[in-house]
Amino acid sequence: MIVGAGPAGMEAARVAGERGHEVIVLEAAAQAGGQLLLTSQSPRRQEMISIIDWRMAECERLGVEFRFNTWAEAADVTTLKPDAVIIATGGYPHTEILEAGNELVVSAWDILSGDVKPKGKVLLFDDAGDHAAMQAAEVIADSGAELEVMTPDRAFAPEVMAMNLVPYMRAMQQKDVTFTVTFRLESVQKEGDGLVARVGSDYGGVEKYRHVDQVVINHGTRPLDDIYFDLKGTSSNAGEVVYEDLIVGTPQTKVNNPDGAFQLFRIGDAVSSRNTHAAIYDALRLVKDI
Ligand SMILES: Cc1cc2nc3c(=O)[nH]c(=O)nc-3n(C[C@H](O)[C@H](O)[C@H](O)COP(=O)(O)OP(=O)(O)OC[C@H]3O[C@@H](n4cnc5c(N)ncnc54)[C@H](O)[C@@H]3O)c2cc1C
């Protein structure tokens, strides 16, 4: 039983199917993909969804059952009496990082999904340094908004490799975009119809202000792990992965709770904010021995 059909859940489903198990995937959304659905919103990155499409085709071939539009809670899992449960529920944007004004900001995901339109003068604070920030920045720049991308790091977008940065820069340097390094957004408050952002520095002794219409924060994800913790007590292994076994590639056999009815594991961004590579690798190296 797999909860979540992002890259982690899809790889887990594929490998479990290959191994001949009966596999059911519960997914809250209407389709598979997780964060890759957001990634592929950018025309240049549309093909990223092939990571999901290929796994979906394999799962169909292997007879994996998908239940979409299904937000799973612990009871939904246990009623199906699984032998093994894999939580691949990913994460949601973590934007609550300010001293004050967290309720006034939007996330890079809000911009990418189109739920929030870019507005006037925009400050995008990015301390994850990843593609989500650059993709959101490009959408904001394309809208005609005036954009400042700010990072507390000494270089922006460190997680975006050089060749990938080229098209972002080609798209954005033509537009009204500035990049500011080594400054940290500290708080946001309302000012008339707009916002005033207080900016400091990890190097100390700085207080600056930005008067903007919109503040966007990109700070990675926070695990959606409630269901994992709700299931821990009734699982046989109490949700534990024995890393020594994982590393040498032998099955997980630890029993912490002899009354537990199923093994429970957690993979991908449901463990911590990482990337597609980590999500797929978590799934593959665990499920190949189940
Ligand atoms: C815009 C953007 C660009 C990115 N670019 C890259 C990149 O270039 N390279 C890279 O390696 N990584 C990239 N990433 C990060 C990568 O997409 C994530 O790390 C990866 O998707 C995590 O996979 P996951 O399967 O663990 O979680 P997710 O992709 O978050 O999938 C989790 C799934 O679980 C479902 N779910 C959650 N809770 C429940 C529940 N209770 N019941 C049922 N279903 C549930 C969700 O609906 C979702 O479909 C990017 C992310 C974004 C947002």
Side-chain angles (χ1 to χ4, degrees), residues 69-124:
N69 300 305
T70 304
W71 176 263
E73 295 190 3
D76 303 313
V77 169
T78 48
T79 48
L80 291 164
K81 302 207 179 315
D83 298 306
V85 177
I86 296 169
I87 303 301
T89 43
Y92 62 98
H94 181 12
T95 58
E96 293 179 4
I97 57 168
L98 303 178
E99 289 166 19
N102 286 309
E103 72 286 1
L104 299 173
V105 310
V106 301
S107 70
W109 291 24
D110 291 327
I111 298 288
L112 283 171
S113 63
D115 288 346
V116 175
K117 298 282 172 229
K119 188 171 139 192
K121 203 170 168 185
V122 183
L123 174 64
L124 191 165

Side-chain angles (χ1 to χ4, degrees), residues 114-189:
D115 288 346
V116 175
K117 298 282 172 229
K119 188 171 139 192
K121 203 170 168 185
V122 183
L123 174 64
L124 191 165
F125 178 70
D126 173 33
D127 60 357
D130 55 14
H131 279 277
M134 288 297 101
Q135 286 188 234
E138 200 176 326
V139 170
I140 296 165
D142 282 348
S143 78
E146 180 186 336
L147 172 65
E148 178 180 7
V149 179
M150 180 180 287
T151 172
D153 295 325
R154 59 183 176 178
F156 70 93
E159 299 293 326
V160 177
M161 297 298 104
M163 277 172 62
N164 277 312
L165 194 64
V166 173
Y168 287 121
M169 289 300 102
R170 283 188 181 153
M172 285 194 275
Q173 284 187 329
Q174 313 275 351
K175 310 241 163 72
D176 199 355
V177 184
T178 53
F179 293 88
T180 304
V181 295
T182 74
F183 289 97
R184 179 177 291 282
L185 177 64
E186 291 179 339
S187 69
V188 177
Q189 64 182 68

Side-chain angles (χ1 to χ4, degrees), residues 245-274:
D245 294 333
L246 196 69
I247 289 163
V248 295
T250 52
Q252 297 285 322
T253 52
K254 184 91 184 270
V255 175
N256 293 310
N257 168 23
D259 298 330
F262 54 89
Q263 285 187 299
L264 174 69
F265 302 106
R266 186 167 50 138
I267 58 175
D269 276 10
V271 179
S272 71
S273 180
R274 289 174 293 160

